Amino acid sequence: MLESRRLLWVLSIIVLVAAVSKVVSEVDNDSIDDDRTSLEGMTTPKREVIEVDPSKSKRKEEKDNAPAAAGPEMNWPGKWELFMKNSGVSAMHAILMPLINKVQFYDATIWRISQVKLPPGVPCHVFDPKANKIDCFAHSVLIDINTGTMRPLALTTDTWCSSGGLTPNGTLVSTGGFQGGANTARYLSTCDNCVWIEYPQALAARRWYSTQATLPDGTFIVVGGRDALNYEYILPEGQNNKKLYDSQLLRQTDDPEENNLYPFVWLNTDGNLFIFANNRSILLSPKTNKVLKEFPQLPGGTRNYPGSASSALLPIRLNVQNPAVIPADVLVCGGATHDAFFRAEKKKIFNPALKDCARISINDPNPVWKTEMMPMSRVMSDTVLLPNGEVLIVNGAKLGSSGWNLAKEPNFSPILYSPDKPLGKRFKELAASTIPRMYHSIAIALPDGKVLVGGSNTNDGYQYNVEYPTELRIEKFLPPYLDPALAIMRPRIINTATPKQIKYGQKFDVNIELKQPNVPKENVMVTMLAPSFTTHSVSMNMRLLMLGIKDVKNVGGDNYKIEAVAPPSGNVAPPGYYVLSAVYNGVPSVGEWIQIL
């Protein structure tokens, strides 16, 4: 009798476990119904968010994220180098200028001060003609990324919290800013002696905290900004735009703390725009200005300023022959609770930043957010695409929000995100810096594979006797692939035997020197990285293309010829300059500039 009861008890437990497993499986695999009507009267797609703790996850990678060929695991944690002790201006905004290999930093002219004066012969800016008040400080500098040589430049309109991008010929177009700079478009060509040209009435709306994105033809759209719940297109240089397009997405995501400034805008591989604001996202046609799709909401908090997550369009993998629909994934990491700004500013309570990192395949028929946890919470981070297809997440804080002195506990340790690794195993914590990089920090990829890291100014002006002083030191971070032990695996592009300009769909050769006896095609990548305009945790127009490779041939000794295929269209790669890299077993070469037209 006793044995029968024990047997019955065991069978009951088995049935209960099976029932619970079935329910968990259905919750995990089925979407949650959401009947809320979308922006254009469509029903919002069903929502699915999968949360994964990397320390416990044993999930296998999905078939649509099949890993690329990779080399040995890189265990070197990276290394920090102090590049400059004084950048002259606070690096609030940054972009790498093509061909000349100089980075452009600029801050806010409203402060009327920096740590570098305008050079002799450059007139001071008269900002108050009635009182004859002048500003003789530079607010823009060009810095050689190899030597640190600095060239101050004059700006007259205020660039505070502006946006930017590169034209097909490499000219920087900067838009918006504060007060008199809010309607401005500024142009800086890529040459050693070029100067800013400013057009104060170029924009139809005042653009402060807006996002600028490059379109398939190389022109620009500017989205959002404070009290600008709309978007517009930038006309050719010297022309003033007067036409605005209303954005229901921005109107519906404008909560009491805003939380939708500096929206994430990514050009999809179909030529449409993925726009993310606060916790919602859409696909917008720049041809018809119609919303084509609304994506599931991303729960958990807010991701845009002042919530300030960071985002990336993950590397786009191309083939010799590409499908009609080229996959594209968007990553959004960190951020803050919806009330983080209010609590930090009004109550001096600093909420923990968000710890999750969410990814969505925006061209899937039924896209869903898939979420995993970073090693630490993060707000105000910068996301950098590396030339080998990995992603560096750096800078920011563990508590609080964007804004003046509204964050605590700097995040000194960057993390590496490997998109092709199994879900739950994609993060690795790397070597820590010793310099806090809080509000107004930047990070951009350099042609030599290093990452330039600078900025951090949580103060309204240049202040030094405070908790987080205005930071003028510039660092370079060496990712794990720059481990000295891997130097023998680093290719060298023979630039005299590699084209400087290519056309869409063109087959072209990348000639390299690589001291390896056998180089199979499966272990080689050719990538093209578009320079990002980086400010306020937003890396505008950052884009990495993994080109299709037809063959890799040994052409004598340590010399190899990689037969690659250029991107198929401007939808995939807008015209302009990219950093071309050859990658062997995850180790990239020093990049060379290449232009696609």
Side-chain angles (χ1 to χ4, degrees):
M1 184 69 177
L2 181 59
E3 293 299 323
S4 298
R5 287 179 179 176
R6 286 177 177 171
L7 179 60
L8 183 59
W9 180 78
V10 170
L11 290 173
S12 299
I13 293 297
I14 291 173
V15 170
L16 179 60
V17 169
V20 171
S21 298
K22 183 174 185 299
V23 171
V24 171
S25 175
E26 290 173 352
V27 171
D28 188 83
N29 293 319
D30 291 343
S31 301
I32 300 172
D33 287 330
D34 186 346
D35 295 327
R36 183 180 51 80
T37 301
S38 73
L39 303 177
E40 294 296 314
M42 301 179 294
T43 299
T44 302
K46 296 178 180 180
R47 180 175 67 195
E48 178 181 332
V49 177
I50 303 173
E51 293 189 4
V52 178
D53 183 340
S55 64
K56 299 178 181 178
S57 172
K58 295 183 180 179
R59 292 180 182 270
K60 293 183 179 179
E61 179 65 309
E62 299 91 349
K63 63 181 180 180
D64 60 343
N65 287 323
E73 186 71 16
M74 297 178 187
N75 295 316
W76 193 59
K79 177 183 176 182
W80 290 89
E81 297 175 342
L82 181 62
F83 176 55
M84 298 181 72
K85 293 182 179 179
N86 186 347
S87 59
V89 304
S90 175
M92 183 188 296
H93 313 78
I95 190 168
L96 177 65
M97 299 296 288
L99 301 179
I100 62 174
N101 282 334
K102 295 183 178 181
V103 65
Q104 167 65 214
F105 291 150
Y106 61 77
D107 62 3
T109 62
I110 190 68
W111 293 331
R112 315 299 180 200
I113 192 172
S114 69
Q115 287 296 306
V116 60
K117 290 288 189 73
L118 290 169
V122 177
C124 298
H125 172 49
V126 181
F127 64 89
D128 186 345
K130 292 182 179 179
N132 195 31
K133 293 182 178 181
I134 61 174
D135 178 7
C136 296
F137 288 94
H139 299 281
S140 166
V141 291
L142 269 177
I143 294 175
D144 188 296
I145 60 174
N146 297 310
T147 67
T149 303
M150 181 193 305
R151 177 172 170 252
L153 299 175
L155 274 169
T156 58
T157 59
D158 199 348
T159 51
W160 187 13
C161 305
S162 54
S163 53
L166 297 173
T167 67
N169 68 0
T171 295
L172 170 58
V173 181
S174 161
T175 52
F178 185 57
Q179 293 183 346
N183 296 86
T184 302
R186 310 167 193 85
Y187 293 77
L188 178 67
S189 296
T190 185
C191 73
D192 289 324
N193 299 311
C194 291
V195 297
W196 284 102
I197 300 173
E198 303 172 74
Y199 300 91
Q201 301 301 319
L203 304 179
R206 299 172 63 82
R207 300 291 172 188
W208 196 28
Y209 299 91
S210 63
T211 300
Q212 182 175 323
T214 307
L215 299 173
D217 62 356
T219 59
F220 301 104
I221 185 174
V222 185
V223 181
R226 179 159 290 165
D227 299 323
L229 304 178
N230 48 53
Y231 61 92
E232 62 185 284
Y233 298 94
I234 301 176
L235 298 181
E237 182 177 353
Q239 297 184 29
N240 297 338
N241 177 53
K242 301 297 182 184
K243 187 171 180 59
L244 293 174
Y245 297 86
D246 187 69
S247 172
Q248 288 300 307
L249 173 71
L250 295 177
R251 291 190 180 279
Q252 294 174 16
T253 56
D254 186 25
D255 66 23
E257 310 305 326
E258 295 177 302
N259 284 324
N260 69 352
L261 302 180
Y262 276 126
F264 304 133
V265 184
W266 299 115
L267 177 65
N268 191 11
T269 55
D270 62 3
N272 297 307
L273 294 166
F274 175 88
I275 304 177
F276 186 105
N278 198 324
N279 61 356
R280 292 171 57 186
S281 49
I282 61 170
L283 192 68
L284 176 75
S285 168
K287 293 182 178 179
T288 65
N289 297 296
K290 299 293 185 183
V291 174
L292 305 177
K293 181 190 297 184
E294 185 171 9
F295 295 92
Q297 285 192 30
L298 178 57
T302 180
R303 315 291 171 158
N304 297 96
Y305 186 92
S308 296
S310 61
S311 177
L313 177 69
L314 290 178
I316 299 168
R317 193 177 304 281
L318 303 175
N319 301 294
V320 174
Q321 296 290 332
N322 290 294
V325 178
I326 297 174
D329 281 22
V330 170
L331 188 72
V332 177
C333 294
T337 57
H338 285 277
D339 61 350
F341 179 88
F342 170 79
R343 286 169 65 84
E345 183 182 47
K346 301 299 184 183
K347 299 185 176 183
K348 304 306 176 186
I349 297 173
F350 300 90
N351 290 3
L354 302 184
K355 195 176 181 181
D356 59 348
C357 203
R359 176 171 169 175
I360 190 169
S361 298
I362 60 178
N363 288 331
D364 278 5
N366 296 295
V368 296
W369 290 101
K370 297 180 180 179
T371 302
E372 52 195 313
M373 295 299 164
M374 296 184 288
M376 70 282 288
S377 301
R378 224 170 190 114
V379 64
M380 301 184 298
S381 62
D382 288 291
T383 297
V384 181
L385 294 181
L386 300 176
N388 69 345
E390 293 181 310
V391 183
L392 187 75
I393 301 173
V394 65
N395 299 340
K398 297 178 183 178
L399 303 174
S401 163
S402 286
W404 303 130
N405 299 302
L406 299 184
K408 300 289 185 182
E409 293 192 19
N411 252 313
F412 292 106
S413 297
I415 54 177
L416 191 68
Y417 177 85
S418 300
D420 292 325
K421 286 189 175 180
L423 187 68
K425 297 182 179 180
R426 293 173 177 158
F427 291 109
K428 178 186 291 186
E429 188 171 348
L430 301 177
S433 173
T434 59
I435 301 176
R437 300 290 182 183
M438 306 289 277
Y439 186 40
H440 290 147
S441 297
I442 61 91
I444 58 173
L446 299 178
D448 62 3
K450 298 178 183 180
V451 176
L452 194 73
V453 178
S456 187
N457 191 8
T458 69
N459 315 291
D460 189 2
Y462 283 64
Q463 299 180 30
Y464 304 101
N465 189 26
V466 290
E467 182 179 12
Y468 299 114
T470 302
E471 184 57 68
L472 298 173
R473 288 172 291 178
I474 304 295
E475 297 172 285
K476 289 183 179 180
F477 179 70
L478 285 66
Y481 53 63
L482 292 181
D483 183 349
L486 300 177
I488 193 68
M489 296 170 57
R490 191 169 203 196
R492 182 181 70 85
I493 294 178
I494 303 172
N495 58 14
T496 57
T498 299
K500 306 298 182 189
Q501 193 177 88
I502 54 176
K503 297 184 181 298
Y504 292 110
Q506 174 185 337
K507 295 179 176 62
F508 68 102
D509 295 336
V510 179
N511 287 275
I512 64 170
E513 180 185 16
L514 179 59
K515 298 184 184 303
Q516 296 290 320
N518 181 37
V519 181
K521 182 177 75 170
E522 293 74 20
N523 290 9
V524 174
M525 290 193 300
V526 174
T527 63
M528 291 171 52
L529 177 63
S532 63
F533 180 92
T534 299
T535 186
H536 291 78
S537 299
V538 181
S539 297
M540 303 176 200
N541 304 305
M542 182 172 63
R543 198 175 194 86
L544 183 77
L545 306 156
M546 297 177 170
L547 302 187
I549 295 177
K550 187 176 181 181
D551 201 3
V552 176
K553 297 178 180 178
N554 182 277
V555 290
D558 295 331
N559 295 319
Y560 295 86
K561 179 172 70 174
I562 307 171
E563 298 177 359
V565 181
S569 70
N571 291 346
V572 177
Y577 282 97
Y578 294 74
V579 176
L580 180 79
S581 298
V583 184
Y584 174 69
N585 277 345
V587 180
S589 67
V590 172
E592 298 285 341
W593 289 105
I594 193 167
Q595 186 185 33
I596 188 166
L597 294 172

